[in-house]
Amino acid sequence: MPTTTETLRDALVAARRGKSLIEMASQPVPASFSEGLGVQAEIAKVLKQPEAGWKVAIAEDGLPVAGIMPGPYLKPGDVYEGAIGAELRVEIEIALRLASDVPFRPNQPYSRAELLGHCDKAYLGIEIVESRLANWTGVPFALWLADALGHGGYLIGPELDIKTLDDPTALGCFISLNGVTIYDKPAVHANGDPMAPFLAWANRKQDFMGGLRAGQIVTTGSLCGGVLSPGKGEIVTKLSPLATVSLTLR
């Protein structure tokens, strides 16, 4: 009989290949967050996904976690094709580009300044969250991890000053769909400092998900939560007063 890992891996691989959805209730839940990361790593291996980027986070028990971001990487004005029936959420973020490798170093923790020293660019990033799980509200976090934290695609917007990460609280987040405002609030990061989840992941104790390599994009987490798009069409996002980008959901 297939194991939990094999059953979930095969279901999510088929869903990603077919741009389809699977019912959450029909899937086994990984026994731990680490097992969920292991499933995600297996899926990436089967799909031959490039380790082009990472979305990082801190789980509710304090464990640093990440989702692989293999692409598509969009440009302003591009079209994102979602699966039929999928919920699409928009997140306004600050992304960093690694200029050099960040070696796995569990016994010598990186400092915030040292980690930033490995980065040469910051960008306005827009993540499209599109889970392979239908009706995923309230999904167990270990299952969410297996699905790469619901990653769908990522838009690389204008370059920002890296110092923007030091205090984003003076910024505002705005999102509209087809000219109708769906979000307009001050920027807030769940961990306070947007670097906190990146630093936690750089100082992780296990490395089975893959390394932090030069050229990869690391997104530091949403400044507006996950904003559900009520439909398809033109999305305009602003990190006020710094930058504006648009894309089309289809």
Side-chain angles (χ1 to χ4, degrees):
M1 178 176 291
T3 64
T4 294
T5 296
E6 292 167 340
T7 299
L8 188 54
R9 176 200 64 198
D10 293 347
L12 287 171
V13 164
R16 287 198 174 269
R17 281 176 171 162
K19 289 186 71 69
S20 59
L21 304 179
I22 56 179
E23 288 298 327
M24 183 180 72
S26 67
Q27 298 306 312
V29 177
S32 66
F33 294 167
S34 293
E35 186 174 298
L37 284 171
V39 174
Q40 184 191 153
E42 285 291 316
I43 292 168
K45 185 185 300 181
V46 172
L47 294 176
K48 296 183 169 64
Q49 292 178 328
E51 293 175 0
W54 303 95
K55 60 179 295 187
V56 291
I58 299 175
E60 55 200 26
D61 68 350
L63 181 74
V65 296
I68 191 171
M69 299 201 306
Y73 284 90
L74 309 174
K75 303 182 300 297
D78 278 355
V79 175
Y80 178 84
E81 299 274 359
I84 295 175
E87 290 186 355
L88 302 182
R89 296 178 187 266
V90 179
E91 298 185 353
I92 298 174
E93 305 177 345
I94 298 172
L96 290 165
R97 186 179 72 181
L98 291 174
S100 57
D101 292 355
V102 181
F104 181 55
R105 208 173 69 183
N107 298 318
Q108 186 183 352
Y110 289 94
S111 68
R112 187 184 192 277
E114 187 181 10
L115 187 57
L116 278 172
H118 285 272
C119 305
D120 64 348
K121 300 285 187 181
Y123 302 95
L124 170 59
I126 306 299
E127 185 182 9
I128 306 302
V129 177
E130 181 188 1
S131 176
R132 294 299 92 198
L133 303 167
N135 306 316
W136 53 267
T137 301
V139 60
F141 193 72
L143 188 53
W144 188 237
L145 274 177
D147 191 33
L149 296 166
H151 179 70
Y154 205 80
L155 184 149
I156 302 293
E159 188 175 337
L160 304 175
D161 189 325
I162 286 182
K163 292 181 180 178
T164 304
L165 286 158
D166 292 343
D167 183 16
T169 58
L171 305 176
C173 293
F174 171 89
I175 304 172
S176 68
L177 172 67
N178 297 324
V180 177
T181 299
I182 60 175
Y183 190 90
D184 189 4
K185 294 182 181 180
V188 177
H189 193 280
N191 301 110
D193 179 4
M195 282 295 293
F198 185 16
L199 187 60
W201 181 250
N203 291 326
R204 65 202 180 281
K205 301 302 182 184
Q206 294 177 294
D207 197 34
F208 56 83
M209 280 288 292
L212 292 163
R213 307 293 184 215
Q216 291 178 342
I217 294 293
V218 179
T219 184
T220 56
S222 181
L223 298 173
C224 63
V227 179
L228 176 65
S229 178
K232 304 292 180 67
E234 185 187 29
I235 291 281
V236 175
T237 65
K238 299 178 184 178
L239 184 60
S240 303
L242 301 180
T244 301
V245 293
S246 61
L247 71 152
T248 299
L249 300 181
R250 188 166 63 195

